[in-house]
Amino acid sequence: MNTDSQPTDDLSAGNQSVTSTTGHYRGEAQPLEHDQILILDFGSQTAQLIARRVREQNVFCRLVRHNLSAQRIREINPRGLILSGGPASVYAEGAPQPDPELFDLGIPILGICYGMQVACRSQGARVESADTREFGRSPCRIVDTGRLFADIPDELVVWMSHGDQVHDSGSQFVPLATTDTCPFAAVRHFDKPIYGLQFHPEVTHTDFGGQLLKNFVRDICGCDGAWSISSLVNQQVEQVRKQVGSKRVICGLSGGVDSSVVAALLSRAIGDQLSCIFVDNGLLRHGESKEVQDRFTSHFKTDLHVADARQRFLDELAGVTDPQEKRKIIGRVFIEVFRDEARSIPDADFLAQGTLYPDVIESGANPDGPAATIKTHHNVGGLPDELGFELIEPLRDLFKDEVRQMGETLGLPEHLIWRHPFPGPGLAVRCLGAISEDRLVTLRQADLIVIEELRLAGLYREIQQAFAVLLPVQIVGVMGDDRTYQDTIVVRAVATDDFMTADWFRLPHDVMERISTRITNGVPGVNRVVYDISSKPPSTIEWE
Ligand code: XMP
């Protein structure tokens, strides 16, 4: 489960993506001043989740390839290794294997599920298919508390998801925990610092999973737990200053959290050497354009360049109804406008962007990192290489929730930090059918009412994404003695962990009623409001 694959509402992943392949690869080359754990990724759905759980213990960690060489690991010098789960059977032909020398480095190792099986097998244990495949919650008994299970009760519920398991520990391993069907639910090697868990401590369904990981990274590996977002801010500020010297940096602002955090960080690091570009495409929600401008001129005093391209976007989108065509046009026009604006800023050598860690992992850009995974992209475009900027990506080690924490540390307002995701093409994909300024005004008014009412009801943070959609059909209604023929607004609100699947949010009826009444009374031209009760799949979150 890739819990961080949610879309960003920012330049980094929107249609307005400003990726440049000329950018220097930066992240992993930097020497680290803090302890770190490496997570060897054997193809687990939860590898990123393991990383987030480790970081919750104030310990930095990175995902790396499952077969990273022992020599490279020695160079990186991590405090510990976690071998992730994975879909293969260890004994299957072609199953992913780590460098066998890994187990003799003396670095503490925790194998999870497949990772445990690989570790145990490398030390002579026998791994076979279990009599019954085990998926879901299982009661587990601790038989040897030791350091791994310190401060954890003797009986707990754990989350299992496996077909194979260790059958015979080859007398190399001490059992630490068992379940009814799994005699080696947790093990420790007799004399090497190798531990294994057949269950998944990283998922919330496992009781005390956080404590278990804490015991491993803090006690067994000896990490000091000094990594924090505020220490990272200081480190990044220093790093950016060193990288940039006295040169100028351009940062694209979208109004979303990622690009705002990048700009706020750079403003702190290099002050007036920063120029921000905000492309106003006219497809933002109520008040957003003004807020970006106020924030990055008054609060953070940056050299803000606003490219007012509202009319240009409208003209280019005139009469276009196909959603993918809309996305393409918006991507292309954004690049053209951004490029022209960037050229008007003399002497800029760097381009800052809000690439996040999940993007780095999924792109396969890190030479030590796991292979690229195929991700469905809504987005097209990217700034052409001809601009020749060197990239600055201060968020490339961070997950989305860590970016939010960084935003808080840098003094960005709460409503911006916790704003629901907003797609790169903006209101264009919520104004179904052809786009016109009048229709955008209608949609903006309705959307504002939806969001205001959710905030008033205290529901905004419980819902991961909510918005209004304007349908391209006219509907019969009645007003006074007259029949009307007007627009319909759809209200969409979803609950989701990862935006890959989503459930429609059960809005209280009185909230629905207030939204409906305010929209039909207050938004000219709308006579009907409907609530979307579809889940994803089979539907999607957006309507286009
Ligand atoms: P769907 O509609 O595919 O959306 O269920 C999943 C998430 O992706 C967002 N989304 C986009 N984000 N550019 C983006 O940057 C796009 O073209 C785009 N289309 C959908 C959507 O808002 C939801 O959060």
Side-chain angles (χ1 to χ4, degrees):
M1 156 181 46
N2 169 11
T3 49
D4 264 297
S5 62
Q6 72 225 52
T8 83
D9 44 0
D10 264 308
L11 295 165
S12 55
N15 253 312
Q16 308 153 340
S17 169
V18 286
T19 2
S20 161
T21 49
T22 56
H24 291 192
Y25 174 74
R26 185 193 58 74
E28 270 55 27
Q30 299 300 317
L32 284 172
E33 288 157 21
H34 39 71
D35 297 335
Q36 73 167 312
I37 299 286
L38 294 184
I39 300 165
L40 276 64
D41 184 0
F42 288 89
S44 169
Q45 296 282 300
T46 57
Q48 290 192 32
L49 199 51
I50 301 173
R52 287 173 56 189
R53 295 284 173 263
V54 169
R55 290 182 184 193
E56 280 167 15
Q57 303 306 328
N58 293 333
V59 172
F60 187 70
C61 63
R62 284 201 173 110
L63 254 64
V64 294
R65 289 185 275 119
H66 69 269
N67 55 357
L68 197 64
S69 70
Q71 189 192 337
R72 177 72 186 126
I73 290 174
R74 220 180 281 118
E75 281 164 22
I76 298 174
N77 194 22
R79 288 267 180 181
L81 303 174
I82 296 180
L83 314 190
S84 84
S89 277
V90 278
Y91 45 79
E93 202 177 316
Q97 300 294 341
D99 182 340
E101 283 179 32
L102 199 85
F103 300 103
D104 296 316
L105 289 175
I107 301 174
I109 293 177
L110 176 67
I112 297 175
C113 198
Y114 181 89
M116 169 197 194
Q117 295 158 14
V118 156
C120 291
R121 195 158 180 258
S122 76
Q123 306 299 306
R126 191 159 52 85
V127 176
E128 282 174 7
S129 153
D131 294 339
T132 44
R133 297 164 73 83
E134 212 179 356
F135 292 99
R137 291 184 170 84
S138 275
C140 178
R141 282 170 306 283
I142 311 304
V143 293
D144 179 343
T145 300
R147 294 166 79 184
L148 192 59
F149 286 94
D151 298 324
I152 293 178
D154 290 345
E155 309 251 325
L156 67 157
V157 170
V158 299
W159 182 262
M160 291 284 198
S161 171
H162 65 113
D164 296 339
Q165 63 185 36
V166 173
H167 271 262
D168 172 355
S169 69
S171 66
Q172 292 298 309
F173 289 91
V174 186
L176 303 179
T178 62
T179 71
D180 285 346
T181 55
C182 185
F184 300 102
V187 295
R188 154 176 80 74
H189 193 275
F190 267 112
D191 49 27
K192 294 182 188 175
I194 303 176
Y195 295 80
L197 297 174
Q198 183 53 68
F199 57 87
H200 290 269
E202 70 277 19
V203 304
T204 47
H205 314 298
T206 292
D207 294 344
F208 299 93
Q211 179 69 40
L212 238 167
L213 288 170
K214 181 178 179 187
N215 291 343
F216 178 69
V217 299
R218 300 282 296 274
D219 181 33
I220 295 172
C221 300
C223 294
D224 58 11
W227 184 76
S228 68
I229 294 294
S230 51
S231 65
L232 188 72
V233 167
N234 296 334
Q235 203 181 313
Q236 287 291 357
V237 162
E238 285 309 311
Q239 204 166 295
V240 168
R241 283 183 185 151
K242 218 186 280 168
Q243 190 183 359
V244 168
S246 58
K247 294 183 175 158
R248 177 156 294 280
V249 179
I250 289 180
C251 175
L253 279 175
S254 71
V257 60
D258 304 344
S259 67
S260 299
V261 171
V262 171
L265 183 81
L266 287 175
S267 166
R268 182 178 285 192
I270 54 168
D272 56 14
Q273 287 162 251
L274 172 67
S275 294
C276 292
I277 296 179
F278 169 57
V279 175
D280 188 350
N281 60 10
L283 300 167
L284 296 181
R285 289 166 294 188
H286 177 86
E288 276 180 332
S289 169
K290 182 170 181 315
E291 189 184 343
V292 173
Q293 299 185 44
D294 289 349
R295 182 151 319 284
F296 287 94
T297 50
S298 309
H299 187 78
F300 297 102
K301 294 190 177 22
T302 69
D303 169 39
L304 178 65
H305 296 241
V306 180
D308 182 355
R310 289 175 294 178
Q311 194 56 48
R312 173 141 180 224
F313 276 89
L314 268 185
D315 291 347
E316 300 255 8
L317 287 166
V320 178
T321 54
D322 176 69
Q324 287 316 93
E325 193 55 29
K326 286 181 183 175
R327 285 188 168 84
K328 269 194 211 146
I329 292 171
I330 293 166
R332 173 178 55 77
V333 177
F334 173 81
I335 289 167
E336 291 167 7
V337 174
F338 190 95
R339 188 184 50 203
D340 290 349
E341 199 60 50
R343 282 183 176 151
S344 77
I345 301 171
D347 308 327
D349 290 292
F350 295 91
L351 179 70
Q353 62 178 37
T355 314
L356 304 193
Y357 193 43
D359 306 329
V360 175
I361 297 171
E362 278 146 25
S363 68
N366 172 357
D368 291 336
T373 50
I374 298 160
K375 195 178 164 193
T376 30
H377 265 296
H378 291 292
N379 303 309
V380 287
L383 273 191
D385 289 349
E386 75 203 39
L387 284 184
F389 287 122
E390 190 173 337
L391 290 185
I392 295 185
E393 298 176 310
L395 311 183
R396 62 177 295 135
D397 282 336
L398 299 186
F399 290 109
K400 186 81 177 187
D401 43 353
E402 295 168 336
V403 172
R404 292 199 166 106
Q405 284 177 43
M406 191 178 257
E408 276 169 12
T409 308
L410 290 163
L412 290 170
E414 200 210 312
H415 73 266
L416 169 59
I417 289 172
W418 290 102
R419 214 181 62 154
H420 292 170
F422 187 58
L427 297 182
V429 289
R430 295 180 181 170
C431 189
L432 272 53
I435 295 162
S436 68
E437 182 53 26
D438 287 350
R439 298 191 73 222
L440 287 172
V441 168
T442 303
L443 176 56
R444 233 177 247 126
Q445 289 176 339
D447 189 73
L448 178 64
I449 292 171
V450 173
I451 299 303
E452 273 180 359
E453 286 300 330
L454 296 182
R455 286 196 193 279
L456 283 171
L459 292 171
Y460 185 80
R461 288 274 292 268
E462 261 181 63
I463 294 169
Q464 279 66 51
Q465 198 169 5
F467 50 90
V469 176
L470 177 62
L471 296 189
V473 282
Q474 302 265 290
I475 301 285
V476 173
V478 56
M479 196 170 277
D481 290 333
D482 295 327
R483 280 163 73 84
T484 57
Y485 199 52
Q486 294 184 324
D487 287 326
T488 299
I489 284 288
V490 177
V491 177
R492 181 73 160 141
V494 295
T496 172
D497 284 333
D498 55 9
F499 295 84
M500 314 281 261
T501 62
D503 196 8
W504 59 279
F505 190 85
R506 272 56 173 175
L507 271 186
H509 289 178
D510 56 331
V511 177
M512 287 185 170
E513 184 179 351
R514 275 198 298 277
I515 291 174
S516 165
T517 309
R518 278 189 62 193
I519 292 177
T520 47
N521 287 348
V523 182
V526 176
N527 65 2
R528 193 175 295 255
V529 176
V530 298
Y531 190 59
D532 182 348
I533 53 168
S534 353
S535 293
K536 173 184 178 178
S539 296
T540 51
I541 296 174
E542 301 288 346
W543 272 52
E544 276 198 340

